[in-house]
Amino acid sequence: MSGYDWSKVFHAYGTATDTAEILDGPLEAAADHLWSAILHQGTVWPATPEVLRVVGGRLREAPSLGLRFVRDVASSVNAGNEAEALRARVAAAPTAEWTAAYVAADEDDQVDMWDDDTGNLVLLGAALDCWDLLPELLDPVAEFLEDADPEVRASAWAAVTRLVNHPAVAARTPELLPRLTRLAAAAESVEERVSLVMDLGQLGGDPTPFLADESPLVRCAAAMTPPLADDLTAHEELLRMAATPTEFDALQGVPRFEGEPPRWTLIAVLSRRPVAPSRLYEPAVAALPHAFRMAPCPDLGPYLEVLFAGGWPERPTAEQRDLAREMAARDDLWSPVNGNRKITLRGLNLPDDREAWWSLS
């Protein structure tokens, strides 16, 4: 690290001169800096590529933390087949000059500089630099795929599923699948089995055997994976779990859910499946106690989008009438200051008017 000039790059909070000192200490102590300044709300910065390189070389020091950082950066910079087109956009802009001016400016001037779109291209360049590093990280990450610590194993597989999205290493996916299938079947804890089964599906493996798992959480996790998107048995598993969605939140500690309630992922997946809209009535009612706590609402919003796909109906279906009645009857959903409700309903072209919902029922 001594040869890298951190004064010439910046992170979310300014010039990255503090990053050198932080990385000179224990990696575990750098966690707050990594997920605030270096990877800020899913955005990478010019300092991020070198930090990614450093963390990738220090995985043995703090495996779980390092692997999660690799996974999260890889998730944020997936350029797919568009990398070269994006690279051309960056190359055509004066990004080096903009960056030099930015790190030399005071805080007020830095704020003003974001009015210039060149700043966004600087961030895009940083993302591409991270993207270019991902193939180098596959082998260091793969060393932990069968680690003795289940948390480390799960974090390694979660990182690998992101890394193999890169075309340069995608061909190595088939060699990983037999190992992942074996580990998933042997996993003793439900949490690890869920994580590995979802990784198996993400990599294109066959999660079908896990639809018969003894744990309803594992069965649901298998049902959520892309290979089972058209499987009727998988749809039934999702519907069963969605009827009592907070049960799926028992998986809150699984890293792939990134601290969000796992039921949000379940609801999003179920709402995209080819099931009859009428089948979503019961899950939608089950979501009402949690509705409109965020905007757009991840609990109820996906169901409303399907059930009211044509907008506000002139001739409502039985499910639309019944759900309208259930919604209108809940006092807790209709506070006049609930901006989350207003944003969600207006975004779906539905009325933010309790009386309208009563009248539909």
Side-chain angles (χ1 to χ4, degrees):
M1 272 201 315
S2 58
Y4 190 79
D5 190 351
W6 295 94
S7 69
K8 293 185 176 180
V9 294
F10 62 93
H11 50 53
Y13 302 124
T15 306
T17 48
D18 57 338
T19 300
E21 181 178 353
I22 291 169
L23 291 182
D24 278 340
L27 195 56
E28 294 240 354
D32 288 345
H33 189 71
L34 293 179
W35 275 278
S36 59
I38 304 301
L39 181 63
H40 183 76
Q41 297 178 356
T43 299
V44 301
W45 305 81
T48 309
E50 183 63 17
V51 174
L52 180 63
R53 191 190 306 277
V54 171
V55 171
R58 295 173 64 181
L59 292 177
R60 291 203 168 277
E61 179 183 329
S64 290
L65 180 147
L67 292 165
R68 284 190 288 111
F69 183 73
V70 170
R71 176 203 69 193
D72 289 352
V73 173
S75 298
S76 298
V77 301
N78 185 5
N81 296 320
E82 299 180 4
E84 294 313 310
L86 297 174
R87 210 182 306 279
R89 288 180 56 200
V90 174
T95 55
E97 294 84 352
W98 192 96
T99 300
Y102 186 86
V103 297
D106 61 30
E107 186 173 343
D108 289 339
D109 288 340
Q110 286 179 341
V111 171
D112 292 338
M113 287 181 68
W114 288 106
D115 293 336
D116 181 348
D117 191 55
T118 304
N120 293 323
L121 292 173
V122 168
L123 299 188
L124 178 58
L128 290 168
D129 288 343
C130 290
W131 175 249
D132 292 341
L133 275 172
L134 298 186
E136 299 176 22
L137 297 173
L138 182 60
D139 285 330
V141 168
E143 292 182 16
F144 297 90
L145 292 179
E146 299 192 45
D147 194 88
D149 185 330
E151 180 181 348
V152 172
R153 285 197 302 270
S155 296
W157 281 107
V160 160
T161 59
R162 274 55 167 199
L163 295 177
V164 295
N165 285 327
H166 199 293
V169 291
R172 295 184 58 182
T173 298
E175 76 185 54
L176 299 169
L177 290 176
R179 298 170 66 186
L180 180 50
T181 302
R182 173 174 54 79
L183 284 171
E188 295 183 358
S189 78
V190 167
E191 290 79 6
E192 184 182 9
R193 205 151 67 251
V194 162
S195 185
L196 296 180
V197 166
M198 295 186 76
D199 289 334
L200 178 66
Q202 192 69 37
L203 288 176
D206 182 14
T208 305
F210 296 94
L211 288 177
D213 195 272
E214 63 182 3
S215 167
L217 296 173
V218 175
R219 295 197 300 271
C220 182
M224 290 166 60
T225 60
L228 299 181
D230 296 312
D231 187 285
L232 297 180
T233 302
H235 299 164
E236 293 302 320
E237 285 294 338
L238 297 178
L239 287 164
R240 272 192 288 271
M241 185 61 71
T244 53
T246 54
E247 290 185 15
F248 201 59
D249 289 343
L251 299 171
Q252 184 85 36
V254 174
R256 74 162 40 250
F257 296 115
E258 301 179 353
E260 293 184 343
R263 69 176 188 273
W264 291 354
T265 302
L266 164 64
I267 291 167
V269 170
L270 175 58
S271 299
R272 293 193 296 267
R273 290 293 171 88
V275 300
S278 60
R279 301 293 307 279
L280 297 182
Y281 165 72
E282 184 178 357
V285 171
L288 291 179
H290 312 284
F292 306 135
R293 297 180 182 179
M294 293 184 64
C297 175
D299 282 287
L300 183 61
Y303 295 136
L304 293 177
E305 187 172 4
V306 176
L307 286 164
F308 291 86
W312 196 241
E314 293 183 6
R315 298 179 179 177
T317 64
E319 291 76 23
Q320 289 173 331
R321 288 196 302 269
D322 290 344
L323 182 58
R325 182 177 60 253
E326 294 283 352
M327 287 180 59
R330 294 189 65 100
D331 291 338
D332 57 311
L333 299 185
W334 297 101
S335 166
V337 295
N338 189 330
N340 296 326
R341 184 194 67 245
K342 299 175 188 295
I343 293 170
T344 299
L345 294 179
R346 290 173 182 172
L348 296 172
N349 293 316
L350 299 174
D352 179 35
D353 179 352
R354 190 177 190 179
E355 290 305 315
W357 289 87
W358 271 127
S359 66
L360 191 68
S361 66

